[in-house]
Amino acid sequence: DIVMTQTPLSSPVTLGQPASISCRSSQSLVHSDGNTYLSWLQQRPGQPPRLLIYKISNRFSGVPDRFSGSGAGTDFTLKISRVEAEDVGVYYCMQGTQFPLTFGGGTKVEIK
Amino acid sequence: EVQLVESGGGLVHPGGSLRLSCTASGFTFSGYGMHWVRQAPGKGLEWVSCIGPGGSTIYYADSVKGRFAISRDDAKNSLYLQMNSLRAEDTAVYYCARSRQVDVWGQGTTVTVSS
């Protein structure tokens, strides 16, 4: 199974300041079809998960452009350019390249 | 509006069974692979199972293999998860999600396994 490791576990951020979350996979996420199925999800308190970014860097419909994804191979990053109050929650990376699909352990973003 | 709505959760004794349903609307259900993902209380996300378009391919997490069965009825725009031999560690909110990108999620249904 592909292990997804996220850092940090927790990220206290000042409103308006940037935040960055890293995700490392135990093996390459490049699929045989050439795509890299690395997604980022946001889960606000009491809510289901919501897709933010798919295939490393593609923002899903309705996602603000302050969210961006980057990376390749086994190392990936989610950046929030200016954190807003509504961004509080837990963020997960997920690989969809190989079954079983696996998630990172989550990073809690909170306001200082 | 693209939507997934889960149902069928509840309280069940260890060793019991439960059938979850997920009803889709707003998109062509038959064209998508569908997943079940669960989240134990206070924990992270765990993928459970996936079924491809038309039911052609099925995968399970090792933790549920042999106990859970995923199925779909495209005529009813519905996804199912038959859960047998339930254990305390199956207690979780169960979500259905669409596609390899998990781009659409339902609100979840809660399964509690307890005596």
Side-chain angles (χ1 to χ4, degrees):
Chain A
D1 297 2
I2 297 177
V3 176
M4 306 296 288
T5 304
Q6 276 183 244
T7 54
L9 289 179
S10 176
S11 180
V13 186
T14 302
L15 286 173
Q17 293 301 302
S20 180
I21 301 169
S22 295
C23 177
R24 177 167 290 177
S25 58
S26 60
Q27 56 188 272
S28 173
L29 297 186
V30 180
H31 192 273
S32 56
D33 65 6
N35 290 305
T36 299
Y37 293 101
L38 185 283
S39 299
W40 288 96
L41 306 165
Q42 176 196 60
Q43 188 172 31
R44 292 169 172 153
Q47 295 294 312
R50 164 199 178 200
L51 178 67
L52 295 177
I53 303 285
Y54 64 97
K55 287 194 279 188
I56 302 178
S57 59
N58 296 274
R59 262 189 308 276
F60 188 55
S61 175
V63 175
D65 60 7
R66 64 179 181 275
F67 290 95
S68 63
S70 63
T74 62
D75 285 284
F76 307 93
T77 302
L78 175 71
K79 291 184 179 177
I80 310 173
S81 58
R82 295 172 305 280
V83 171
E84 298 189 4
E86 66 179 19
D87 300 335
V88 165
V90 180
Y91 292 76
Y92 297 94
C93 59
M94 188 213 83
Q95 68 81 18
T97 293
Q98 180 185 115
F99 290 99
L101 305 192
T102 46
F103 296 86
T107 296
K108 188 173 186 178
V109 171
E110 51 195 357
I111 305 301
K112 277 184 189 174
Chain B
E1 180 192 5
V2 174
Q3 196 172 14
L4 297 172
V5 178
E6 301 93 339
S7 60
L11 173 63
V12 62
H13 293 309
S17 298
L18 215 51
R19 189 196 196 206
L20 306 184
S21 299
C22 168
T23 303
S25 59
F27 65 98
T28 305
F29 178 74
S30 60
Y32 287 87
M34 297 294 298
H35 301 265
W36 287 101
V37 177
R38 68 184 180 183
Q39 186 170 35
K43 301 297 184 183
L45 300 169
E46 180 190 14
W47 176 81
V48 172
S49 182
C50 164
I51 185 167
S56 53
T57 52
I58 288 176
Y59 297 94
Y60 296 101
D62 285 346
S63 58
V64 306
K65 204 172 292 182
R67 300 187 299 122
F68 289 12
I70 192 171
S71 62
R72 63 190 298 160
D73 184 338
D74 289 345
K76 295 183 178 179
N77 289 336
S78 291
L79 173 73
Y80 305 102
L81 186 67
Q82 177 66 43
M83 304 187 297
N84 300 326
S85 303
L86 283 161
R87 306 166 180 167
E89 54 264 37
D90 296 317
T91 294
V93 177
Y94 284 73
Y95 298 101
C96 58
R98 184 182 81 168
S99 85
R100 188 187 289 270
Q101 266 79 245
V102 290
D103 57 356
V104 180
W105 292 68
Q107 287 293 316
T109 188
T110 301
V111 172
T112 303
V113 184
S114 175
S115 54

